[in-house]
Amino acid sequence: MCGIIGYIGEKQAYPILIDGLSKLEYRGYDSAGVALLDEDQLEIMKSVGRLSKLEEKIGEQVPFGTMGIGHTRWATHGRPCDMNAHPHSDCTGEYVVIHNGIIENYQALREWLKTEGHLFRSETDTEVLAHLVEQYFRGDLKAAVRQVLEKVSGSYAMVVMSERDPGRLICARKDSPLVIGLGEGENFIASDIPALLKYTRRTIILEDGELAEVSRDNVTVERCGQLVTKEVFNVEWDVVAAEKEGFEHFMLKEIHEQPKAIRDTLRSRITADGLVNLAELNLAEDEIWQLRKVVMVACGTAYHAGLVGKYVFEKLLRLPVEVDVASEFRYRNPLLGEDTLVVVISQSGETADTLAAMRLAKEKGSPVVAITNVVGSTVSREAGRVIYTWAGPEIAVASTKAYITQLIVLYLLALQIGQSAGLIPEAEIMAMTAALKKLPMDVAGIIEKEDVIKEFASRIKDWEDTFFIGRGLDYAVALEGSLKLKEISYIHAEAYPAGELKHGTLALITENIPVIALATQPDLYEKMWSNIKEVKARDAYVLAIVNEGDNETGKEVDDVFEIPATNPIFTPVLSVIPLQLLSYYASVMRGCDVDKPRNLAKSVTVE
Ligand code: M6R
């Protein structure tokens, strides 16, 4: 949801801003812009479209200046166009602002500012910030920004720069992420760490309600006008982890990284004797016995991981589990309390709805466990109990390795609860942890067969509608497979519990229409065969994902892809891999932008 970058130092800022924006483009790519300050002269350049369009437009006329700000936009208020691109400036052009978030009271502020004589040029909510700074500026940029923050409501990560008070960037955050990178004689500001890594690993993570002044040699942070001492956080992972490393797309690289991501997520969480050691969970046995219900809350792919979690928890722990989309959960006054464990799942740890859901659960007194991939994210800082998915940075908008590792953490979490409360016999836990440890090898084996899946992709690529069916855990994976296909190839894909088709959707099954059938749950084989027959009887093209050694399902279908045999509870980790690759290749074959699908952004930090 918009990427923001700021630089102040001795070097020319433009290449640093462009490089930073290229690392943040996954957050939004409707338009991009930069503003540079050189010898008290502000220059703003912006363009609708990708960052490359901005670079093309600027060409050789590279702006000078050793301080500057840059923005890559995901449109919320106002269509993508040059006029609505950031940075925004005031009437005089002396104050510039970049912003990620939504100023909810911008209409009222805009009307008021107009009565004060301000002239607006864009349709955005952000522009009011620049005019407010102009309105309040009395020689001190920080003081003006303080006053602006008192006026606005909503969410923001923002950076403000002015030729009237050069030598410092002022930034602030509320409900949108912002990180400050500490250099030698230079400092940086960004929405996310990958934009800083080339320059520094030393970072300060700004919290909600904090305002910072960033100059060449100094950074000060305040809250409610009082200086606060911030911890310097050293980033462990390196630049290479955020590069493509020879793969054509980040998504393909991230699919290939999944065996390692699983290994890293399991590492040190299984003891030498095969028991689970999720030390960070820190739930005492009596707290577990108090639990009457589990609620999993998340959005998108993370929500689909939660659906797998429901089957797993209910099967292993016999605890009722509800799974909710965070944007629904937060507004339906959910029934929560001390006896309800709320599991919040978010790759980025910054998704606005998931954050709100987590805060609500805490307010209502529920114990909260967060599963996130980003160390230092808002979710990780606020949840209290955090279990990290050690997937490494996920850059492609389509989530792959984050999903897989969310599943792994959910398995570990269920096993840990079962183990601590004596709900699962140790021998069973040992058998399951042994199966978990084998998954990286199995996943690698599936990825080696990507050419076979590429071939399947060529069969579905020209269709505008597809269906994914499955029962039980397979249905949860069908949902994830269909989301992956639609978000990156723009092929309409619907996922159904296989038994539901005959209640309406079967009417859409016509000759050769692709149906991807997941049949990995042995106790549901016969039911699935009937459902597969139903679509075959209407001449659909059926690709089935089956277990190695299942010689029956394949007889009914057009194409089969076998996944290695494992405990049926773990098949989602394997069956989703061919679906990720299918979507990837369908997207490539249709000429889509795999890593940056239209209308989307990686991190959804607005409602
Ligand atoms: O960062 P989060 O896990 O909270 O993100 C949630 C969704 O926005 C995300 O999973 C989205 O659905 C993915 N683009 C799907 O591939």
Side-chain angles (χ1 to χ4, degrees), residues 298-303 345-351 354 396-400 406 480 483-484 487 600-604:
C299 300
T301 286
Y303 166 74
I345 311 167
S346 173
Q347 186 283 130
S348 61
E350 300 291 352
T351 300
T354 309
V397 166
S399 183
T400 53
Q406 284 159 358
E480 174 57 9
L483 174 62
K484 224 70 320 164
E487 80 174 319
L600 299 180
K602 179 74 181 161
S603 192
V604 185

mmCIF file of all heavy atoms in Angstrom, residues 298-303 345-351 354 396-400 406 480 483-484 487 600-604, ligand 1:
data_model
loop_
_atom_site.group_PDB
_atom_site.id
_atom_site.type_symbol
_atom_site.label_atom_id
_atom_site.label_comp_id
_atom_site.label_asym_id
_atom_site.label_seq_id
_atom_site.Cartn_x
_atom_site.Cartn_y
_atom_site.Cartn_z
ATOM 1 N N ALA A 298 -7.216 -13.691 9.772
ATOM 2 C CA ALA A 298 -6.197 -13.308 8.791
ATOM 3 C C ALA A 298 -6.889 -12.819 7.527
ATOM 4 O O ALA A 298 -8.118 -12.779 7.467
ATOM 5 C CB ALA A 298 -5.311 -14.511 8.474
ATOM 6 N N CYS A 299 -6.101 -12.475 6.520
ATOM 7 C CA CYS A 299 -6.641 -12.050 5.230
ATOM 8 C C CYS A 299 -5.971 -12.861 4.116
ATOM 9 O O CYS A 299 -4.807 -13.249 4.244
ATOM 10 C CB CYS A 299 -6.324 -10.585 4.956
ATOM 11 S SG CYS A 299 -6.982 -9.465 6.176
ATOM 12 N N GLY A 300 -6.690 -13.028 3.024
ATOM 13 C CA GLY A 300 -6.124 -13.612 1.804
ATOM 14 C C GLY A 300 -5.509 -14.980 2.031
ATOM 15 O O GLY A 300 -6.103 -15.866 2.645
ATOM 16 N N THR A 301 -4.287 -15.113 1.543
ATOM 17 C CA THR A 301 -3.592 -16.390 1.654
ATOM 18 C C THR A 301 -3.416 -16.821 3.108
ATOM 19 O O THR A 301 -3.538 -18.001 3.443
ATOM 20 C CB THR A 301 -2.227 -16.280 0.935
ATOM 21 O OG1 THR A 301 -2.484 -16.282 -0.461
ATOM 22 C CG2 THR A 301 -1.296 -17.417 1.274
ATOM 23 N N ALA A 302 -3.146 -15.850 3.961
ATOM 24 C CA ALA A 302 -2.961 -16.183 5.383
ATOM 25 C C ALA A 302 -4.266 -16.743 5.962
ATOM 26 O O ALA A 302 -4.253 -17.638 6.816
ATOM 27 C CB ALA A 302 -2.511 -14.940 6.143
ATOM 28 N N TYR A 303 -5.390 -16.237 5.465
ATOM 29 C CA TYR A 303 -6.698 -16.763 5.885
ATOM 30 C C TYR A 303 -6.816 -18.230 5.425
ATOM 31 O O TYR A 303 -7.298 -19.097 6.166
ATOM 32 C CB TYR A 303 -7.800 -15.889 5.280
ATOM 33 C CG TYR A 303 -9.182 -16.482 5.332
ATOM 34 C CD1 TYR A 303 -9.892 -16.540 6.531
ATOM 35 C CD2 TYR A 303 -9.791 -16.992 4.186
ATOM 36 C CE1 TYR A 303 -11.173 -17.092 6.580
ATOM 37 C CE2 TYR A 303 -11.058 -17.537 4.232
ATOM 38 C CZ TYR A 303 -11.751 -17.590 5.432
ATOM 39 O OH TYR A 303 -13.010 -18.137 5.473
ATOM 40 N N ILE A 345 -2.703 -14.428 11.846
ATOM 41 C CA ILE A 345 -1.693 -14.861 10.861
ATOM 42 C C ILE A 345 -1.468 -13.738 9.842
ATOM 43 O O ILE A 345 -2.431 -13.262 9.224
ATOM 44 C CB ILE A 345 -2.156 -16.142 10.127
ATOM 45 C CG1 ILE A 345 -2.630 -17.203 11.136
ATOM 46 C CG2 ILE A 345 -1.040 -16.710 9.245
ATOM 47 C CD1 ILE A 345 -3.393 -18.356 10.495
ATOM 48 N N SER A 346 -0.227 -13.331 9.683
ATOM 49 C CA SER A 346 0.064 -12.277 8.707
ATOM 50 C C SER A 346 1.529 -12.342 8.289
ATOM 51 O O SER A 346 2.417 -12.203 9.126
ATOM 52 C CB SER A 346 -0.233 -10.905 9.319
ATOM 53 O OG SER A 346 0.192 -9.887 8.438
ATOM 54 N N GLN A 347 1.760 -12.547 7.012
ATOM 55 C CA GLN A 347 3.129 -12.558 6.505
ATOM 56 C C GLN A 347 3.821 -11.259 6.864
ATOM 57 O O GLN A 347 4.856 -11.249 7.516
ATOM 58 C CB GLN A 347 3.100 -12.744 4.978
ATOM 59 C CG GLN A 347 4.436 -12.930 4.300
ATOM 60 C CD GLN A 347 5.260 -11.665 4.120
ATOM 61 O OE1 GLN A 347 6.451 -11.643 4.474
ATOM 62 N NE2 GLN A 347 4.682 -10.602 3.627
ATOM 63 N N SER A 348 3.216 -10.154 6.449
ATOM 64 C CA SER A 348 3.868 -8.843 6.621
ATOM 65 C C SER A 348 3.820 -8.362 8.062
ATOM 66 O O SER A 348 4.666 -7.582 8.486
ATOM 67 C CB SER A 348 3.157 -7.811 5.749
ATOM 68 O OG SER A 348 1.793 -7.702 6.163
ATOM 69 N N GLY A 349 2.795 -8.799 8.790
ATOM 70 C CA GLY A 349 2.598 -8.263 10.135
ATOM 71 C C GLY A 349 2.135 -6.821 10.122
ATOM 72 O O GLY A 349 2.182 -6.131 11.138
ATOM 73 N N GLU A 350 1.678 -6.346 8.959
ATOM 74 C CA GLU A 350 1.259 -4.946 8.849
ATOM 75 C C GLU A 350 -0.126 -4.805 8.237
ATOM 76 O O GLU A 350 -0.572 -3.675 8.019
ATOM 77 C CB GLU A 350 2.255 -4.149 7.970
ATOM 78 C CG GLU A 350 3.685 -4.121 8.466
ATOM 79 C CD GLU A 350 3.875 -3.310 9.754
ATOM 80 O OE1 GLU A 350 2.914 -2.643 10.185
ATOM 81 O OE2 GLU A 350 4.971 -3.385 10.333
ATOM 82 N N THR A 351 -0.795 -5.886 7.908
ATOM 83 C CA THR A 351 -2.108 -5.789 7.259
ATOM 84 C C THR A 351 -3.089 -5.079 8.196
ATOM 85 O O THR A 351 -3.301 -5.518 9.332
ATOM 86 C CB THR A 351 -2.597 -7.193 6.882
ATOM 87 O OG1 THR A 351 -1.634 -7.753 5.991
ATOM 88 C CG2 THR A 351 -3.946 -7.170 6.217
ATOM 89 N N THR A 354 -5.941 -7.093 9.845
ATOM 90 C CA THR A 354 -5.441 -8.114 10.764
ATOM 91 C C THR A 354 -4.952 -7.465 12.062
ATOM 92 O O THR A 354 -5.189 -7.987 13.156
ATOM 93 C CB THR A 354 -4.314 -8.929 10.082
ATOM 94 O OG1 THR A 354 -4.794 -9.367 8.816
ATOM 95 C CG2 THR A 354 -3.890 -10.115 10.911
ATOM 96 N N ALA A 396 7.385 -11.161 -4.029
ATOM 97 C CA ALA A 396 6.285 -11.291 -5.005
ATOM 98 C C ALA A 396 4.971 -11.026 -4.287
ATOM 99 O O ALA A 396 4.796 -11.421 -3.131
ATOM 100 C CB ALA A 396 6.282 -12.689 -5.607
ATOM 101 N N VAL A 397 4.066 -10.366 -4.988
ATOM 102 C CA VAL A 397 2.760 -10.087 -4.369
ATOM 103 C C VAL A 397 2.060 -11.407 -4.019
ATOM 104 O O VAL A 397 1.446 -11.532 -2.954
ATOM 105 C CB VAL A 397 1.903 -9.211 -5.317
ATOM 106 C CG1 VAL A 397 0.455 -9.179 -4.871
ATOM 107 C CG2 VAL A 397 2.465 -7.787 -5.340
ATOM 108 N N ALA A 398 2.156 -12.379 -4.907
ATOM 109 C CA ALA A 398 1.520 -13.676 -4.637
ATOM 110 C C ALA A 398 2.323 -14.422 -3.565
ATOM 111 O O ALA A 398 3.505 -14.699 -3.734
ATOM 112 C CB ALA A 398 1.459 -14.496 -5.910
ATOM 113 N N SER A 399 1.656 -14.742 -2.502
ATOM 114 C CA SER A 399 2.342 -15.387 -1.384
ATOM 115 C C SER A 399 2.521 -16.887 -1.647
ATOM 116 O O SER A 399 1.586 -17.574 -2.040
ATOM 117 C CB SER A 399 1.490 -15.174 -0.133
ATOM 118 O OG SER A 399 2.132 -15.701 0.975
ATOM 119 N N THR A 400 3.733 -17.385 -1.447
ATOM 120 C CA THR A 400 3.992 -18.822 -1.639
ATOM 121 C C THR A 400 4.721 -19.379 -0.418
ATOM 122 O O THR A 400 4.144 -20.108 0.385
ATOM 123 C CB THR A 400 4.836 -19.066 -2.912
ATOM 124 O OG1 THR A 400 6.011 -18.249 -2.848
ATOM 125 C CG2 THR A 400 4.051 -18.766 -4.170
ATOM 126 N N GLN A 406 3.536 -20.767 7.127
ATOM 127 C CA GLN A 406 2.409 -20.556 8.062
ATOM 128 C C GLN A 406 1.791 -21.915 8.403
ATOM 129 O O GLN A 406 1.437 -22.187 9.561
ATOM 130 C CB GLN A 406 1.347 -19.638 7.429
ATOM 131 C CG GLN A 406 1.764 -18.166 7.425
ATOM 132 C CD GLN A 406 1.025 -17.312 6.408
ATOM 133 O OE1 GLN A 406 0.186 -17.800 5.642
ATOM 134 N NE2 GLN A 406 1.332 -16.026 6.378
ATOM 135 N N GLU A 480 -6.828 -21.744 -1.872
ATOM 136 C CA GLU A 480 -5.544 -21.079 -2.067
ATOM 137 C C GLU A 480 -5.098 -21.184 -3.534
ATOM 138 O O GLU A 480 -4.609 -20.214 -4.122
ATOM 139 C CB GLU A 480 -4.489 -21.669 -1.118
ATOM 140 C CG GLU A 480 -3.069 -21.186 -1.303
ATOM 141 C CD GLU A 480 -2.888 -19.669 -1.200
ATOM 142 O OE1 GLU A 480 -3.827 -18.964 -0.812
ATOM 143 O OE2 GLU A 480 -1.799 -19.207 -1.567
ATOM 144 N N LEU A 483 -7.091 -18.721 -5.597
ATOM 145 C CA LEU A 483 -6.664 -17.323 -5.372
ATOM 146 C C LEU A 483 -5.375 -17.051 -6.141
ATOM 147 O O LEU A 483 -5.218 -16.013 -6.796
ATOM 148 C CB LEU A 483 -6.454 -17.057 -3.872
ATOM 149 C CG LEU A 483 -5.874 -15.687 -3.515
ATOM 150 C CD1 LEU A 483 -6.789 -14.552 -3.958
ATOM 151 C CD2 LEU A 483 -5.605 -15.559 -2.028
ATOM 152 N N LYS A 484 -4.442 -18.018 -6.071
ATOM 153 C CA LYS A 484 -3.160 -17.824 -6.752
ATOM 154 C C LYS A 484 -3.386 -17.627 -8.247
ATOM 155 O O LYS A 484 -2.834 -16.729 -8.859
ATOM 156 C CB LYS A 484 -2.312 -19.070 -6.512
ATOM 157 C CG LYS A 484 -0.906 -18.938 -6.164
ATOM 158 C CD LYS A 484 -0.444 -18.417 -4.870
ATOM 159 C CE LYS A 484 -1.154 -17.269 -4.271
ATOM 160 N NZ LYS A 484 -0.878 -17.056 -2.878
ATOM 161 N N GLU A 487 -5.141 -14.175 -9.019
ATOM 162 C CA GLU A 487 -4.417 -12.938 -8.752
ATOM 163 C C GLU A 487 -3.259 -12.686 -9.703
ATOM 164 O O GLU A 487 -2.943 -11.540 -9.982
ATOM 165 C CB GLU A 487 -3.977 -12.819 -7.282
ATOM 166 C CG GLU A 487 -2.746 -13.575 -6.871
ATOM 167 C CD GLU A 487 -2.319 -13.274 -5.419
ATOM 168 O OE1 GLU A 487 -2.386 -12.108 -4.995
ATOM 169 O OE2 GLU A 487 -1.910 -14.209 -4.735
ATOM 170 N N LEU A 600 -3.083 -4.720 -7.386
ATOM 171 C CA LEU A 600 -2.742 -5.295 -6.078
ATOM 172 C C LEU A 600 -1.480 -4.667 -5.500
ATOM 173 O O LEU A 600 -0.757 -3.949 -6.170
ATOM 174 C CB LEU A 600 -2.545 -6.803 -6.199
ATOM 175 C CG LEU A 600 -3.750 -7.605 -6.673
ATOM 176 C CD1 LEU A 600 -3.409 -9.081 -6.739
ATOM 177 C CD2 LEU A 600 -4.952 -7.377 -5.752
ATOM 178 N N ALA A 601 -1.238 -4.971 -4.253
ATOM 179 C CA ALA A 601 0.006 -4.571 -3.589
ATOM 180 C C ALA A 601 0.319 -5.640 -2.565
ATOM 181 O O ALA A 601 -0.576 -6.351 -2.101
ATOM 182 C CB ALA A 601 -0.152 -3.231 -2.917
ATOM 183 N N LYS A 602 1.574 -5.745 -2.224
ATOM 184 C CA LYS A 602 1.985 -6.817 -1.322
ATOM 185 C C LYS A 602 1.421 -6.632 0.075
ATOM 186 O O LYS A 602 0.924 -7.564 0.695
ATOM 187 C CB LYS A 602 3.515 -6.844 -1.262
ATOM 188 C CG LYS A 602 4.098 -7.906 -0.345
ATOM 189 C CD LYS A 602 3.961 -9.262 -0.969
ATOM 190 C CE LYS A 602 4.492 -10.383 -0.105
ATOM 191 N NZ LYS A 602 3.928 -11.675 -0.536
ATOM 192 N N SER A 603 1.519 -5.435 0.552
ATOM 193 C CA SER A 603 1.204 -5.223 1.947
ATOM 194 C C SER A 603 0.001 -4.284 2.031
ATOM 195 O O SER A 603 0.065 -3.151 1.578
ATOM 196 C CB SER A 603 2.441 -4.586 2.587
ATOM 197 O OG SER A 603 2.331 -4.601 3.952
ATOM 198 N N VAL A 604 -1.104 -4.782 2.584
ATOM 199 C CA VAL A 604 -2.346 -4.004 2.540
ATOM 200 C C VAL A 604 -2.509 -3.262 3.868
ATOM 201 O O VAL A 604 -3.146 -3.746 4.795
ATOM 202 C CB VAL A 604 -3.552 -4.916 2.226
ATOM 203 C CG1 VAL A 604 -4.812 -4.088 2.059
ATOM 204 C CG2 VAL A 604 -3.278 -5.709 0.960
HETATM 205 O O1 M6R B 1 0.831 -9.850 4.959
HETATM 206 P P1 M6R B 1 -0.414 -10.644 5.155
HETATM 207 O O2 M6R B 1 -0.171 -12.114 5.289
HETATM 208 O O3 M6R B 1 -1.264 -10.133 6.279
HETATM 209 O O4 M6R B 1 -1.245 -10.430 3.820
HETATM 210 C C1 M6R B 1 -2.531 -10.944 3.668
HETATM 211 C C2 M6R B 1 -2.966 -10.927 2.229
HETATM 212 O O5 M6R B 1 -2.987 -9.616 1.748
HETATM 213 C C3 M6R B 1 -2.066 -11.766 1.327
HETATM 214 O O6 M6R B 1 -1.975 -13.079 1.788
HETATM 215 C C4 M6R B 1 -2.616 -11.774 -0.114
HETATM 216 O O7 M6R B 1 -3.828 -12.436 -0.160
HETATM 217 C C5 M6R B 1 -1.603 -12.416 -1.065
HETATM 218 N N1 M6R B 1 -1.297 -11.507 -2.114
HETATM 219 C C6 M6R B 1 -2.102 -13.630 -1.748
HETATM 220 O O8 M6R B 1 -1.113 -14.207 -2.543
#
